[in-house]
Amino acid sequence: MEEVILRPRTVPKAVLLVEGSWLDLKAALNQLREDKETLRPCTIKQVQDASQPHPDAEFKIDDVEVQQLTFIGQIRNISTQTTNITYKLDDGTGTVEVKQWIDAEASNSMDLGDGGHKSGQSGLVENEWARVWGRLKAFNNRRHVGAHVIRPVTDKMEIQYHLLEATYVHLYFTRGPLESGDKNAAANGTANGQYGDTETTIGGRPMPSVSPNARRVYQCIQQSPQSNEGMHVQNVAATLR
């Protein structure tokens, strides 16, 4: 019989109880990490208002954990240190410090921006806009964002797009996903622009989506004797009581 050798350093004994359990566990953990490692567009105010139940917990925005986040802001200040560059960004909702860590070899090849400040990329200068991808962190009760990537915004329309995207995601988590018009109509009994009465038409076409009371008023006027004088509002109210 072939000798079987277990290598504890490679595969822990605890996961050898069931054949394939380690692969299943590893796949599940990888999937869990992928599910949690989502990118959240947000504003700086949301960054500052993010909750943290305890110092070791993940930050939450709209009661949803966030690991990676992205936002856009105007660079108000650039401070260059030996090991990092600190940018102070302002998007109109608040300000936050963004730290980009550098190594000694890369620091010698960085460009000089306007005003004598070193910048990790061309175009990252004060009073210009930049987009940040990174993680929210806290140190000594002060929050900052550790940037994985920070780049200049070359198209100002990207600012408006980001604010709209951040608003959409905020509403998604606070009010629920946006349903299609057909689903909303079906839920309210207004499919095809009607409130359950498929026979009400205007000029042979289905009546547009209106409230049930408006539909009753229209039906009252349509069914009343037609004359050049029309129908008085008090008569409509008396008929609908």
Side-chain angles (χ1 to χ4, degrees):
M1 183 175 65
E2 183 179 358
E3 183 179 2
V4 178
I5 301 176
L6 298 180
R7 300 181 181 275
R9 291 184 181 180
T10 304
V11 182
K13 292 182 179 179
V15 298
L16 291 173
L17 298 177
V18 180
E19 183 179 359
S21 61
W22 167 240
L23 295 178
D24 294 339
L25 177 60
K26 185 177 180 180
L29 290 175
N30 288 337
Q31 183 62 46
L32 180 61
R33 293 191 189 99
E34 292 177 1
D35 292 342
K36 294 183 67 176
E37 290 291 335
T38 55
L39 181 65
R40 171 69 185 268
C42 60
T43 64
I44 292 179
K45 185 178 189 307
Q46 288 179 298
V47 172
Q48 298 291 10
D49 292 344
S51 62
Q52 189 182 30
H54 55 85
D56 295 329
E58 297 286 353
F59 285 94
K60 290 185 176 183
I61 297 178
D62 298 326
D63 203 30
V64 178
E65 288 188 1
V66 292
Q67 283 76 32
Q68 307 284 344
L69 51 82
T70 181
F71 59 89
I72 288 178
Q74 191 173 23
I75 302 174
R76 296 301 189 187
N77 184 58
I78 302 176
S79 176
T80 304
Q81 307 294 329
T82 304
T83 57
N84 68 83
I85 304 176
T86 301
Y87 303 88
K88 186 175 183 179
L89 266 64
D90 180 355
D91 69 348
T93 68
T95 60
V96 70
E97 289 187 346
V98 177
K99 294 183 181 293
Q100 187 175 37
W101 298 94
I102 56 178
D103 54 46
E105 295 180 358
S107 63
N108 296 327
S109 62
M110 289 189 301
D111 299 326
L112 286 174
D114 293 345
H117 292 294
K118 283 186 177 181
S119 62
Q121 293 186 35
S122 174
L124 290 176
V125 295
E126 293 181 5
N127 298 321
E128 290 297 330
W129 290 78
R131 177 182 280 274
V132 176
W133 289 266
R135 283 179 177 268
L136 178 57
K137 301 180 179 181
F139 182 73
N140 289 338
N141 295 324
R142 293 188 60 183
R143 295 184 178 184
H144 72 275
V145 174
H148 304 314
V149 178
I150 177 170
R151 64 162 177 78
V153 173
T154 56
D155 185 352
K156 293 301 187 289
M157 290 300 296
E158 184 179 356
I159 302 171
Q160 306 303 324
Y161 171 82
H162 170 75
L163 292 175
L164 290 172
E165 184 181 31
T167 301
Y168 174 84
V169 175
H170 166 70
L171 293 175
Y172 177 91
F173 286 117
T174 56
R175 300 188 182 182
L178 181 65
E179 297 183 357
S180 66
D182 292 341
K183 290 183 178 179
N184 287 331
N188 297 325
T190 60
N192 298 323
Q194 300 179 11
Y195 276 83
D197 185 359
T198 58
E199 296 181 357
T200 303
T201 60
I202 300 178
R205 293 177 298 178
M207 190 174 183
S209 179
V210 295
S211 67
N213 288 334
R215 186 173 297 278
R216 291 179 60 203
V217 170
Y218 175 78
Q219 290 176 339
C220 176
I221 296 174
Q222 188 182 43
Q223 295 171 2
S224 66
Q226 303 297 312
S227 66
N228 293 332
E229 297 178 356
M231 188 175 185
H232 198 279
V233 65
Q234 292 183 351
N235 294 335
V236 175
T239 303
L240 297 178
R241 287 177 184 171

